[in-house]
Amino acid sequence: MGVGDRRRTGDETGPVLRAADTGMQPVQASDAVWAPPVQPAPARPAARTGRLWVSVVAIVFTAVVALLVLGYLLVSLGAPAVLVAMLLAFVPLVLVLVAIRWVDRWEPEPRSALWFAFLWGAAVSVAIALLVDAGIRFALATPADTDSVREFVSAVVQAPFVEELAKGLGVLLVYAFWRSQFDGPVDGLVYAATVAAGFAFSENIVYFAVAIAEGANGDLGYTFVVRGIFSPFAHVMFTAATGLGLGIAVRRDAGLVWRFLLGLGIAIALHALWNGALFLVDDVVFYYFTVQLPLFVFAIVLTVLIRRQEIELTRERLEEYADAGWFADSEVVMLATPQGRRRAREWAKRAGKQRAMRGFIADATHLAFTRQRLVSGRPRPGDLADERALLSSVTRSREKLMQ
C-alpha cells in the first residue's frame, strides 16, 4: 500500500502510540502551515545519536592518522608541492561535498559521523592502501613503474580490492558506531560517498603533488582535468555500491553480511572496470563517453530514485501518526514533501524561527524512520523510548513555532 492509499492505524503494521493515550487532545486539520499547539507527551530520554565517547575516540583516532599521512606526504613529496596540490584537490572535493549535501538534505546525518567518515577515507583508507602497496613492492622487490604486468595488476586488481575494502570498512564502522542514525539506503549512500570523498581528496593530492614535483606543468594540467573535472565522482560511485548494500540490509533488517559483501564486490568490480578500460582504450574522450559518463548517469538516476523512496516512506509513516492524533494533515504535507518543507523554511526565515523549524522537520523525519524500524517487526533496543522522545520533541517544537 503506497502513499495516498487508505491510512493505517496499526491493524496491519503494529500499534501507533495515540495522542489521546498520553492525555493530549488530537490535533485538528487546519489550512495553516501547521496545527494549533498541543500538550507535550510525557518526557522521555533524548533520542540516541550514538555514544559520545565512541564518537570522540573514533574521530580523534582518524584525526591522528590524518596528521601522520599528511606528515608522510610533506616529507616524501615536499611541502610546496603538497600545499599547491591540496588547493587544487579542494576543487573536486567541493563539487562532491555539495552533491552529498543535496542527497543528505532530507534526513541530515550527524556531523560527528560525517567527520569520522571523511577522515577515515582521507587518512586511514589511504594509509592502508599505501602500506599494502609498499609491502607488495618489498615482497616482489621490483618497482611497479618498470613492469607493465605489475602496473596492470596494481591498477586493475590490487587497487580496486584494497582501496574498496579499506573504504568499505569505514562505512561498516559508521554503522557500528552510529547505528541509530543508519536507517536505510540513502544513509548508506551518504556515508559511503563521504568516505570516498575523503579518499579521493588525499589521492588527488598525491597525484597533483607528483606532477608538480616532476616539474611538468603539462602533466599537472592533464592530471587535474582528468581527475578533477572529468571524474571527481569516480570513487564516490564505487564505494556507493558498498553503502547501498549495507543500507538495504539495514532497511530490511536482514542479510547484513551477504548484502554488505555483495555491495563491496560490486564496488570492486566497478573500480576494476574503470581502471582496466584505460589499458584497452587509448582515446581518453572515447573512454569518457563510453565508460565514465554512462556510469555517472546511472548513479544519478539511482540516487534520485532511492531519495524519492525515502520521501514517500516519510509521508506514509507520518500519516499513521496523523491518524493517531499527533499531526494535522497540513503538517504531514509540510513535513513530508519537498515543496512543503521549502515553504515552511521560507516562513521560518521571515519569522526568525529557523532553528525551531529545523528541529521540527528533523525530529519528524527521524520519527518516521523510527516507525519504519518498528514496522519491520524487529526493532532495535530503545526504539520505543526514542519514539516517545521524538513525539514529545515535535510537540515542543510546534509550541515554539506558534509562540
Side-chain angles (χ1 to χ4, degrees):
M1 183 179 298
V3 176
D5 294 331
R6 178 180 61 84
R7 294 210 184 145
R8 295 171 292 187
T9 58
D11 54 330
E12 297 178 7
T13 60
V16 179
L17 180 65
R18 290 184 173 273
D21 294 338
T22 67
M24 61 166 275
Q25 295 299 316
V27 187
Q28 300 299 319
S30 172
D31 293 329
V33 176
W34 60 81
V38 296
Q39 296 299 316
R44 300 292 180 188
R48 293 165 293 132
T49 58
R51 295 178 181 177
L52 178 61
W53 69 269
V54 172
S55 303
V56 172
V57 171
I59 293 175
V60 169
F61 170 74
T62 51
V64 170
V65 177
L67 292 175
L68 293 175
V69 171
L70 178 60
Y72 168 77
L73 296 178
L74 291 172
V75 171
S76 59
L77 298 175
V82 170
L83 293 178
V84 173
M86 189 176 295
L87 291 176
L88 293 174
F90 268 114
V91 176
L93 175 64
V94 170
L95 293 176
V96 172
L97 292 181
V98 169
I100 294 174
R101 172 63 178 169
W102 176 79
V103 176
D104 193 36
R105 187 174 177 83
W106 189 255
E107 188 208 8
E109 307 307 322
R111 292 183 180 179
S112 57
L114 294 175
W115 269 112
F116 171 81
F118 180 80
L119 290 173
W120 180 277
V124 181
S125 296
V126 172
I128 293 174
L130 290 174
L131 289 173
V132 171
D133 184 66
I136 292 177
R137 290 193 188 190
F138 178 79
L140 297 179
T142 177
D145 295 338
T146 62
D147 189 333
S148 59
V149 175
R150 165 70 181 123
E151 184 179 359
F152 177 83
V153 172
S154 176
V156 181
V157 179
Q158 176 188 320
F161 181 81
V162 175
E163 293 175 8
E164 295 308 321
L165 183 61
K167 289 183 288 181
L169 179 59
V171 181
L172 193 61
L173 288 175
V174 171
Y175 167 74
F177 296 156
W178 286 271
R179 187 172 180 180
S180 64
Q181 299 293 330
F182 207 124
D183 296 311
V186 170
D187 291 355
L189 175 61
V190 168
Y191 289 129
T194 306
V195 171
F199 185 90
F201 176 64
S202 294
E203 189 177 59
N204 283 337
I205 292 174
V206 173
Y207 275 91
F208 298 158
V210 168
I212 294 171
E214 293 177 350
N217 293 330
D219 289 345
L220 175 60
Y222 175 81
T223 303
F224 178 78
V225 170
V226 171
R227 299 187 61 86
I229 298 178
F230 276 13
S231 58
F233 293 92
H235 278 286
V236 170
M237 289 189 292
F238 308 151
T239 314
T242 305
L244 287 175
L246 187 58
I248 292 172
V250 170
R251 171 61 50 80
R252 299 187 178 182
D253 200 18
L256 180 68
V257 175
W258 76 263
R259 292 181 194 276
F260 171 77
L261 293 178
L262 177 61
L264 179 62
I266 294 174
I268 294 172
L270 289 174
H271 199 155
L273 171 65
W274 190 280
N275 290 356
L278 284 173
F279 290 88
L280 302 175
V281 180
D282 294 330
D283 189 339
V284 176
V285 176
F286 179 77
Y287 165 74
Y288 176 78
F289 282 101
T290 57
V291 178
Q292 294 190 8
L293 189 59
L295 287 177
F296 183 59
V297 172
F298 174 77
I300 292 176
V301 172
L302 182 62
T303 300
V304 171
L305 290 177
I306 63 173
R307 192 171 182 267
R308 183 178 301 173
Q309 185 183 50
E310 298 284 78
I311 294 173
E312 292 175 352
L313 184 150
T314 303
R315 183 164 187 168
E316 185 171 358
R317 295 299 170 232
L318 290 185
E319 283 179 341
E320 295 176 5
Y321 285 108
D323 283 342
W326 288 101
F327 297 100
D329 290 343
S330 58
E331 285 184 309
V332 174
V333 174
M334 181 192 78
L335 294 167
T337 64
Q339 298 82 2
R341 288 189 176 189
R342 182 168 58 252
R343 290 194 295 268
R345 290 191 180 100
E346 290 172 354
W347 176 90
K349 184 176 181 179
R350 293 193 300 269
K353 298 181 179 181
Q354 298 98 315
R355 184 174 181 179
M357 183 61 74
R358 283 197 301 268
F360 192 39
I361 294 173
D363 287 339
T365 309
H366 193 49
L367 176 65
F369 287 105
T370 300
R371 171 66 184 162
Q372 176 63 26
R373 292 198 297 272
L374 293 170
V375 167
S376 70
R378 300 171 66 181
R380 301 169 186 170
D383 273 349
L384 287 174
D386 280 356
E387 181 191 38
R388 289 177 173 270
L390 288 165
L391 288 169
S392 180
S393 183
V394 296
T395 302
R396 291 194 297 269
S397 294
R398 181 191 291 114
E399 290 180 330
K400 292 179 181 178
L401 290 169
M402 293 299 294
Q403 290 176 354

